Amino acid sequence: QSALTQPASVSGSPGQSITISCTGTSSDVGTYNLVSWYQQHPGKAPKLMIYEVTKRPSGLSDRFSGSKSGNTASLTISGLQAEVEADYYCSSYTGRITFPYVFGTGTKVTVL
Amino acid sequence: QVHLVQSGAEVKKPGASVKVSCKASGYTFTGYYMHWVRQAPGQGLEWMGRINPNTGDTNYAQMFQGRVTMTRDTSISTAYMDLSRLRSDDTAVYYCARGSSSWDLDYWGQGTLVTVSS
């Protein structure tokens, strides 16, 4: 099962906005609105940031937003601050019995 | 509040098995799936499978079929992941994570490092 495709790295200056893409296929991202995004700081467990493409868990900053177009989902982080520097992973339900859930390849976000 | 507390680090020899536990608290254990995800050193996240703690039903990723067994003990709100026939490339941090009906993983354990080395 192939992982969803993400850029290896994205960077931006404090205060700017960045967008991370997550490309799947018409069988996963393109069909199901079950895309999630996770933030992972070094040595820590992942943290859910976005679920069902656009929804934010309670208490999460509205500087994080999600969207989807066709087979590609996106995470936008606005008003960049140092604490958002981390790895980000997307994921999607695939509907396949043999591999119903897949993660993206991961993106390192750097705040310049 | 929700907490998932995992068992400690393990060192195993190739060919051996490892069993990692994940004790849940702060919510109804049987009301949410429990997923297992692993991360090899410097690598990305890899989904291994999930268990329905209410029924015991499991879904495993195909690449782990035949080697992984996920179980639970509802009396102590604990899920287990057993991986057999260990290889060196099974060296990774193994996470349990609570799953919702929409397949998002909203709470994660702290991770358990499993090292496979002769």
Side-chain angles (χ1 to χ4, degrees), chain A residues 34 36 38 40 44-46 48 51-52 89 93 98-101 103, chain B residues 37 39 43-45 47 60-62 95 102-106 108-109:
Chain A
L34 297 176
S36 299
Y38 301 89
Q40 186 180 35
K44 300 296 186 181
L48 179 67
Y51 66 102
E52 294 179 20
Y89 294 90
Y93 175 67
T98 55
F99 213 113
Y101 194 70
F103 285 101
Chain B
V37 175
Q39 186 172 37
Q43 302 301 308
L45 302 173
W47 186 79
Y60 301 141
Q62 188 174 43
Y95 293 102
S102 57
W103 285 83
D104 51 278
L105 309 181
D106 59 358
W108 294 63

Side-chain angles (χ1 to χ4, degrees), chain A residues 9 47 74 89 94 100:
Chain A
S9 62
K47 175 184 177 182
S74 298
Y89 294 90
T94 72

